[in-house]
Amino acid sequence: RNAKGQRRDRYIHNTNTLMVGASSFAISSISYQPTAEELLQAVREIKLDHAEFGVKRICATLKDKGWTVSENRVKKTMQEHGLLETAAPVPMAVEASSAPDATKDQEQPAKKATLVKEQTWPEPTVPPMDLFPKGDFPKGQICEYIGMNAYRSSSAEMRESDRQMSSILNEHREAAEVHRTARKYLRTIAQPGELMIDIVEKLEDKVRELVRAHFPERGIAFPTGCSINHVAAHWTPNAGDKTVLKRDDVVKFDIGIHVNGRIIDSAFTHYFNPRYDPLALAVREATNAGIREAGIDVRLGDVGAAIQEVMESYEVELDGKVYPVKAIRNLCGHSVGHYRIHYGKSVPSVKTADQVSSVVQHLSPAVAGRERVGSHEGWRCLISMGSGVVWACRESVLGTCNAES
């Protein structure tokens, strides 16, 4: 809360998803008593920047921000959430004759430090729900309401609306934590010479384990996309596919995970040859530009313009020829709904006259030297989980499948 006792709300985006949610903590020059949630978030952020800080230094840092906190409260918060490394006290060697109570003190068992599970690597085996048994999943980056939307920080109605979303946001955060872990694991198994079908099946089995899949409440949101080179998006291998990942390939992995229908849909580029570094950098910087531009009441056409401006400022050299990096005009980002992967509005990667405003999600697509993407042969499956599960594919392939069955 600020000096007037008003809660300060923000935008929250986790991985590549941008959402509206409750606040973390406010910084004020006036003495302020933080809530338990705000204190936990602040302590975590300090520990991320200064892992060596203990209770006293963290408490001093918070007081420098104008917060009123005691060392006991900070210590208790850190102990409850595994942020405090504690060690059993080592008893000093004292003669029994000079200290008659020493033996009695030594016989008392030392209090055991709180053991917090850690993720196992290189293969993760601990579900995030076990790493965060109290459900306090990481919140990711939090941004202030600004400009004409600053009133949301003082509006009681808006604050209450955000508070009602807390459980929904926590489900998103759990799915995002699974996604983050799966993404790191995928980078270790997606190696040259491996069959794409083997990579995908190994990844999806691991996702089911980490999210503790139970249909339809928890699990994989859609088949993993692994589009290679000229295929821009939405390709996934079928059973028996013999496609092999090569060293010079550029793969767009697209992973979907959901918890109670709250979907995290995020993609990333995977490659081995450093000659593609400029292309990957262009996409990353353009994506960040789009995230910075996005917000409530921002026109989607303006978001696309920001993405295009950054994307097309790059170029890449392949086989001695320089290509300008172009944003793909007919491949858009999209919003995500409850049990619905493509829902609501789309965000372009180029400047348009679109006056629609909203907050949207997904990575910015790019290609070297081309601006449009045509259809390609093959088929794929998409899951649309509304009242049931619907498998969609090309009519010709569906007819072939029916005929063979």
Side-chain angles (χ1 to χ4, degrees), residues 316-338:
V316 58
E317 182 178 350
L318 302 176
D319 300 325
K321 185 176 180 180
V322 177
Y323 296 88
V325 177
K326 297 290 185 180
I328 298 177
R329 293 181 174 274
N330 60 336
L331 186 61
C332 298
H334 56 89
S335 55
V336 178
H338 189 213

Side-chain angles (χ1 to χ4, degrees), residues 194-228:
E194 296 288 336
L195 287 173
M196 295 303 297
I197 185 67
D198 292 343
I199 295 172
V200 169
E201 289 184 345
K202 188 179 295 185
L203 170 70
E204 293 183 349
D205 286 343
K206 180 57 62 178
V207 168
R208 294 186 185 96
E209 175 187 345
L210 293 174
V211 79
R212 287 186 173 166
H214 183 273
F215 183 83
E217 290 86 7
R218 314 166 65 88
I220 296 173
F222 52 83
T224 302
C226 48
S227 307
I228 303 176

